[in-house]
Amino acid sequence: MDNYYFVGAVWNGDEDKTNEFLECGYWEMGWSPADKPKLAEQVNQIKPGEWIAIKAVSVQKNNLPFAGVPLGKSVSKMTIKAIGQVASNPQNGKRVYVDWQTDFKVKDWFFFTYRGTFWRINEQGQWWSQYASKLIDFAFNNKPQDYDYFVKNWSWNQEAIEMDEKNEMGGEHEALALNTILYGPPGTGKTFNTVDIAWQILNTNDSADTTRPGSIQELKSRYPGQVEFVTFHQSFSYEDFVEGIQAKTHDGKISYQVEDGVFKALAKSSLKNLQDSKKSLTELNQEVEFKSRLTDFLSNAIETEQGFDKKRGNPFYIVEVEQDSITLHSVDSKFNEGNIAVSLDDLMAVCTSLIDFEAPKDIAQQLFNKRHARQHDSYLFSLWQAFKRFNQHNNSTVEVAETVKVLPHVLIIDEINRGNISRIFGELITLIEPSKRAGNDEVIEVTLPYSKEPFSVPNNLYIIGTMNTADRSLALMDTALRRRFDFIEMMPQPGLVTEDLEGVDLRKMLQVMNQRIEALYDREHTLGHAFLMSVDSLDDLRHAFKNKILPLLEEYFYDDWQKIRWVLGASADNFYVPQSFSHLFSGNDANIENKFLRNNLDDLDDEAFVAIYQS
């Protein structure tokens, strides 16, 4: 598989190095490899013989060389300044030597562009490969750009790239909306495109990942701990999403603990990253050292079955340590068969506090601002005392921490409109508002109902939802949710399917069928291009109609056979045959509406499908 590279040539904001690169026969990035190690790794991956282009990305709204752009929309433009073939790569992470073409004329490419310094593309089987192939032909094979193709098939709901040449080298990506919902009819690639949007958010300029992930699972593998995926449904609740009480067993004994839902867990992780990014190296080192010693302390207590004394009663023991909690066992406790869940965050807060606690009530009053001591405070007090004694004899070494960068985190919510929004989000409906996020001046913090913990949503957590408009109209969405999300419409793109499948123009067929559906029903119930994307033969097409398209039409136009036949046009009789009930009744008294049965599609030829779109 051949790779092609599009690179920037502006250093320090305004120093264009293009002419120097062309005269000296090389391309070089504007940073030292030590400052941009991931970008240096990308440079080292370039192979001799591969093609490279110097580019500059901007945006254009007026005087475009083509018509058909929706009113008020801008188009992303990439100026190709030079092209050449890589002669050698010294593997220094900074420079490659290039045989630049001396007779190349600068030209502009529109629509499919990339703002980062370094862009590697190829023609592998991704959804965007169709665009990549056309760009490669334009830049390196001197073929003209097919403007009509892009005007017809481009998603005009995507905002144009607002970036000039000065920001190209090392410029940050344009801020994407924190809360976004992709909505449209079934089969328009909403869930599929969440991967692309999430990748744009997660893939920072110095990342070595220059190829878009092919699935959500691959996205999660590339960015561990930064991506979560969940599907809403009618039984999904606040307890699944934020937090709830869950039953757990240990050694046959049951206990009940507050457990974080998928959203709270990811929000806590992203908030921790946001807070760590503001800490000095000294603070981070201290934290790493503390966590190492606390881990040693807890592990030793479990291995040695160490008992911890309280002021009154029998000793208690640590039986299990999980990601967010510690399970203790005390014969004095009459609840949960003696099992007690203590928050690991609470223990860390007590052990890192500079307060010299004299009694459990001091923890409650001075650290957690509670009037009276809770049962957990007695356990925390005993663990704090034991941890101090343990530290006096613990000389373990720890790794030195590095400074932390703010990392974006992404929660993908599929079928967001199928859940009870008010029930699932609860108080979060206010907290997810961009201006109310942690890290902003107007941050709002609430106390959660089960754990009683303070909680806010950080501004490095993105929410991407999908919504099938055929399942529920956009007009029925919760008004509070609509106000807090940006909505991007995803409509069918016939240009993504083939024009010639054994004599059948799938593109024309999809266009005509959708025009009829829009006239008979509405645009929210049209057929998505995904139904025909994987069709490679007439057998595949028959299968798509039999198992996907016809069942969907029958659902849309329930028992209205005439409208279904109108959608299929002149080919209706090839797909449905009338039923006769006259033999069941005597005389002509029975007034029965025409009903139809689906025909056997196994023997349909290309003419049956062509007749759908031919008048």
Side-chain angles (χ1 to χ4, degrees):
M1 183 189 307
D2 294 330
N3 292 315
Y4 299 83
Y5 300 88
F6 294 83
V7 296
V10 176
W11 291 9
N12 304 318
D14 58 2
E15 186 181 356
D16 191 342
K17 307 283 284 187
T18 301
N19 289 335
E20 178 184 330
F21 292 160
L22 297 181
E23 292 173 3
C24 299
Y26 64 84
W27 173 83
E28 187 172 277
M29 70 169 179
W31 302 279
S32 72
D35 292 335
K36 293 286 183 177
K38 291 185 177 180
L39 185 55
E41 181 182 343
Q42 296 176 45
V43 174
N44 282 337
Q45 291 173 357
I46 301 176
K47 299 176 182 177
E50 293 182 324
W51 285 88
I52 188 170
I54 295 177
K55 53 93 175 178
V57 177
S58 61
V59 66
Q60 187 167 331
K61 193 170 186 178
N62 301 313
N63 301 318
L64 291 164
F66 47 84
V69 177
L71 185 64
K73 290 291 184 180
S74 299
V75 180
S76 176
K77 180 176 75 172
M78 184 165 67
T79 300
I80 310 296
K81 297 181 175 183
I83 65 170
Q85 198 166 17
V86 177
S88 63
N89 187 339
Q91 295 292 306
N92 58 15
K94 185 176 178 67
R95 173 182 293 188
V96 291
Y97 291 94
V98 182
D99 292 329
W100 297 109
Q101 286 191 357
T102 56
D103 58 348
F104 179 81
K105 294 182 179 180
V106 176
K107 54 186 179 180
D108 294 328
W109 165 268
F110 294 89
F111 297 99
F112 180 60
T113 67
Y114 183 70
R115 292 166 286 178
T117 300
F118 188 94
W119 191 20
R120 179 181 65 199
I121 67 172
N122 49 52
E123 297 176 280
Q124 64 178 349
Q126 302 287 353
W127 70 269
W128 45 268
S129 297
Q130 55 181 326
Y131 302 140
S133 297
K134 294 180 182 297
L135 172 56
I136 291 168
D137 282 341
F138 174 83
F140 302 106
N141 299 326
N142 202 30
K143 292 186 179 181
Q145 183 172 3
D146 184 353
Y147 296 134
D148 289 341
Y149 175 85
F150 282 90
V151 170
K152 290 177 181 178
N153 299 302
W154 194 247
S155 177
W156 292 105
N157 301 292
Q158 297 174 353
E159 292 299 322
I161 298 173
E162 301 287 351
M163 186 167 185
D164 57 29
E165 188 175 345
K166 291 183 179 180
N167 291 326
E168 188 179 9
M169 288 295 284
E172 294 297 325
H173 284 280
E174 180 188 1
L176 296 169
L178 285 171
N179 306 318
T180 303
I181 288 179
L182 307 182
Y183 72 98
T188 52
K190 297 177 292 296
T191 304
F192 193 78
N193 277 279
T194 59
V195 176
D196 187 51
I197 294 178
W199 185 79
Q200 291 180 48
I201 294 168
L202 296 165
N203 188 42
T204 54
N205 277 352
D206 61 347
S207 171
D209 293 323
T210 57
T211 303
R212 287 174 173 83
S215 66
I216 289 174
Q217 195 57 43
E218 185 180 344
L219 192 72
K220 294 176 72 172
S221 298
R222 283 201 200 177
Y223 304 96
Q226 291 179 247
V227 185
E228 287 294 343
F229 177 88
V230 66
T231 300
F232 278 7
H233 50 80
Q234 294 173 346
S235 299
F236 203 76
S237 67
Y238 179 91
E239 288 74 17
D240 301 311
F241 194 57
V242 186
E243 65 172 13
I245 297 176
Q246 303 288 337
K248 293 201 169 186
T249 59
H250 183 78
D251 291 338
K253 299 178 181 179
I254 190 168
S255 64
Y256 296 90
Q257 301 177 13
V258 176
E259 190 165 295
D260 294 342
V262 61
F263 181 78
K264 181 185 174 185
L266 188 61
K268 286 172 66 175
S269 175
S270 53
L271 182 60
K272 179 69 167 59
N273 169 252
L274 189 65
Q275 293 169 340
D276 286 349
S277 69
K278 299 175 182 178
K279 295 177 181 178
S280 67
L281 188 59
T282 300
E283 291 173 315
L284 291 171
N285 276 319
Q286 290 172 347
E287 185 173 309
V288 170
E289 182 178 353
F290 164 74
K291 286 183 177 180
S292 175
R293 295 194 176 193
L294 182 62
T295 300
D296 290 344
F297 166 70
L298 296 173
S299 300
N300 181 72
I302 294 174
E303 290 174 5
T304 62
E305 298 183 356
Q306 178 182 352
F308 299 90
D309 294 324
K310 299 177 293 183
K311 284 195 172 182
R312 289 188 297 271
N314 296 295
F316 65 90
Y317 302 86
I318 300 175
V319 295
E320 187 178 20
V321 177
E322 297 185 87
Q323 184 175 356
D324 298 315
S325 65
I326 304 169
T327 301
L328 311 176
H329 182 74
S330 172
V331 295
D332 297 332
S333 177
K334 305 302 180 185
F335 300 99
N336 293 337
E337 298 185 357
N339 291 332
I340 306 106
V342 174
S343 167
L344 189 57
D345 287 342
D346 285 353
L347 178 60
M348 293 174 65
V350 171
C351 292
T352 55
S353 172
L354 299 178
I355 302 173
D356 189 15
F357 305 109
E358 296 183 359
K361 68 177 183 178
D362 294 337
I363 293 177
Q365 295 172 354
Q366 298 180 42
L367 188 60
F368 296 118
N369 298 317
K370 305 290 183 181
R371 286 189 177 183
H372 306 289
R374 307 161 297 175
Q375 179 193 36
H376 287 189
D377 296 324
S378 297
Y379 298 110
L380 290 172
F381 182 74
S382 297
L383 291 171
W384 170 69
Q385 290 181 314
F387 180 66
K388 286 200 303 181
R389 292 192 297 269
F390 179 83
N391 261 348
Q392 293 175 357
H393 307 288
N394 184 2
N395 297 317
S396 60
T397 58
V398 296
E399 294 182 3
V400 177
E402 296 180 354
T403 53
V404 175
K405 294 182 179 179
V406 177
L407 298 176
H409 292 64
V410 178
L411 174 64
I412 299 173
I413 305 174
D414 202 24
E415 305 284 2
I416 192 170
N417 57 311
R418 296 192 68 235
N420 186 325
I421 299 301
S422 299
R423 179 186 174 198
I424 294 172
F425 274 84
E427 66 275 12
L428 299 188
I429 204 68
T430 298
L431 302 189
I432 64 173
E433 203 168 325
S435 61
K436 307 298 189 296
R437 301 282 194 105
N440 296 335
D441 294 336
E442 299 178 35
V443 58
I444 291 180
E445 188 176 83
V446 300
T447 300
L448 295 177
Y450 292 101
S451 63
K452 305 303 179 186
E453 295 176 357
F455 181 76
S456 59
V457 180
N459 60 11
N460 61 333
L461 174 56
Y462 293 78
I463 303 173
I464 305 171
T466 69
M467 178 178 149
N468 186 343
T469 53
D471 185 50
R472 181 185 298 178
S473 171
L474 186 64
L476 299 178
M477 284 294 294
D478 189 295
T479 304
L481 188 72
R482 286 173 56 94
R483 187 172 68 80
R484 290 170 171 86
F485 278 80
D486 284 10
F487 284 79
I488 299 177
E489 188 178 49
M490 304 284 294
M491 294 303 291
Q493 298 183 53
L496 297 181
V497 300
T498 182
E499 288 183 288
D500 185 10
L501 177 78
E502 299 182 29
V504 182
D505 187 343
L506 296 186
R507 188 176 303 177
K508 182 68 173 177
M509 183 181 71
L510 185 60
Q511 285 176 333
V512 171
M513 291 180 70
N514 280 337
Q515 289 169 355
R516 292 169 181 163
I517 292 172
E518 189 171 344
L520 295 169
Y521 201 157
D522 58 36
R523 66 197 304 272
E524 294 179 348
H525 289 77
T526 46
L527 303 172
H529 49 271
F531 291 118
L532 301 174
M533 288 283 286
S534 59
V535 171
D536 296 319
S537 66
L538 276 180
D539 283 339
D540 291 342
L541 186 56
R542 296 185 193 103
H543 184 273
F545 267 81
K546 180 179 179 180
N547 297 319
K548 298 177 182 178
I549 295 175
L550 295 184
L552 196 60
L553 292 177
E554 291 166 9
E555 180 183 338
Y556 286 170
F557 304 104
Y558 180 72
D559 220 22
D560 194 336
W561 298 103
Q562 184 56 60
K563 288 184 178 179
I564 297 175
R565 290 171 59 80
W566 281 339
V567 172
L568 295 170
S571 190
D573 290 338
N574 291 313
F575 293 89
Y576 290 96
V577 294
Q579 288 181 276
S580 176
F581 298 98
S582 60
H583 65 284
L584 299 176
F585 303 95
S586 60
N588 298 319
D589 296 334
N591 184 17
I592 301 175
E593 294 183 4
N594 291 333
K595 295 182 181 293
F596 293 83
L597 280 175
R598 197 186 300 176
N599 203 354
N600 181 8
L601 308 186
D602 293 340
D603 298 324
L604 288 187
D605 57 14
D606 60 326
E607 293 181 358
F609 295 101
V610 170
I612 293 176
Y613 57 87
Q614 283 188 345
S615 56

